[in-house]
Amino acid sequence: MSRTPVWFMRQAGRSLPEYRRLREGITMLDACNTPELAAEITMQPVRRHGVDAAIFFSDIVVPVKAVGVDLDIVPGTGPVVAAPIRDQAGIAALRPLQPDDVVGPIAAIRLLVEELGDTPLIGFAGAPFTLASYLIEGGPSRDHAATKSLMWAEPQLWHALADRLAHIAGSYLALQVGAGASAVQLFDSWAGALSETDYREYVLPHSRTALSYVAEVPKIHFGVGTGELLPAMSEAGIDVLGVDFRIPLQQAAARVGGEFALQGNLDPAALFAGADVVEGKVAAVLESAADLPGHIFNLGHGVLPSTDPGVLTAVVAQVHDSTERN
Ligand code: CP3
């Protein structure tokens, strides 16, 4: 029996009351670095929704913090960096990631692999551009103006920074796979801010470096608003391309030449529109995926915190029921 597999970006976390209870009085970074807690939070959506994969509960800035960057994850805001990195000295401080730096998260992976049995665990890292944006801007940014201007005005500095981040992200992915993760996803959430020309010149080589650290397991690559970048992203050395909700899967497949399995792409906002709308939109995504070489059902970006978890459970059931094949 085979059926379309389904999991959700940000399935572990704030939409679940059992998560909010566990996190009371514990900072996000402490939760990520406490193996039993990170493992338990990762398991919660697997138990509740019956999804086909667990996504490791962590954050893209965990390995950057682990090599010594002074940053915090501020509730409601995201990663905030104490001293933004914009010069050679800042870049030089970004040393390579060693296994000893991420003992807690890697111990969580080991616990999870044991507990999950046959259910795959997806490890992840942030791609160099998205990580660089947080480090250069000092926090979340709408326009990425400091990041892009550094990229254009000081290309050598940019490439040095992106190269260091690529090795940190790649090493972190390799450590997760070494501990038993059965697939990885490289998140380039903010790459959609770039033109294809800039993406190819300043970003793609570095994402390729990060992904080159993993050979043994399938590699998924995803970014938001990347409809125009999908052909370039598909050249990063990957097996599955994540597609956001702005472009139908069929059209995404035509853009990348049809040889890739695609992941996506229900609009996370659709989960608020009532059961009938959700059902129709899930069916439309499945319909759009009918002729793909492979499809992993997901959202077109992460689960929004105020999502009713019952709606996610219903989506999993619908995807499974309507794609059941012998
Ligand atoms: O369920 C999962 O997907 C696994 C956990 C996960 C988190 N962050 C937990 C988290 C994953 C895969 C991430 C990746 C991540 N982190 C990305 C790439 C994915 C994406 O959504 O585009 C990015 C850009 C970040 C940076 C970041 N960290 C943001 C934008 C935020 C949210 C800010 C906010 O509060 O609105 C965080 C914090 C964060 N990461 C939370 C969680 C559960 C909230 C922390 C809290 O509850 O205090």
Side-chain angles (χ1 to χ4, degrees), residues 10-12 14 19 23 28 58-59 76 79 124 187 189 301:
R10 297 270 175 98
Q11 67 189 17
R14 292 172 300 171
Y19 166 78
R23 273 287 315 279
M28 175 68 188
S58 190
D59 196 82
F124 74 91
F187 282 97
S189 300
H301 196 188

Side-chain angles (χ1 to χ4, degrees), residues 7-14 19 23 26-28 32 41-42 45 55-61 73-79 124-126 130 134 140 185 187-190 222 224 301-302 305:
W7 68 280
F8 305 111
M9 293 184 275
R10 297 270 175 98
Q11 67 189 17
R14 292 172 300 171
Y19 166 78
R23 273 287 315 279
I26 300 168
T27 68
M28 175 68 188
C32 294
I41 295 171
T42 303
I55 174 86
F56 179 39
F57 181 80
S58 190
D59 196 82
I60 56 168
V61 295
I73 298 179
V74 178
T77 300
F124 74 91
T130 292
Y134 282 108
Q185 176 155 326
F187 282 97
D188 208 351
S189 300
W190 312 139
F222 167 80
V224 182
H301 196 188

Side-chain angles (χ1 to χ4, degrees), residues 20-35:
R20 290 196 289 268
R21 274 196 299 276
L22 264 189
R23 273 287 315 279
E24 267 169 37
I26 300 168
T27 68
M28 175 68 188
L29 283 168
D30 284 346
C32 294
N33 288 315
T34 307

Side-chain angles (χ1 to χ4, degrees), residues 241-291:
L241 192 56
V243 180
D244 93 340
F245 52 85
R246 291 169 181 84
I247 165 172
L249 292 176
Q250 234 166 10
Q251 201 177 326
R255 289 188 185 186
V256 297
E259 59 191 297
F260 286 93
L262 299 183
Q263 174 176 282
N265 71 345
L266 180 69
D267 190 329
L271 302 172
F272 297 84
D276 290 350
V277 174
V278 177
E279 213 178 300
K281 288 192 177 290
V282 170
V285 170
L286 291 171
E287 171 73 33
S288 186
D291 297 326

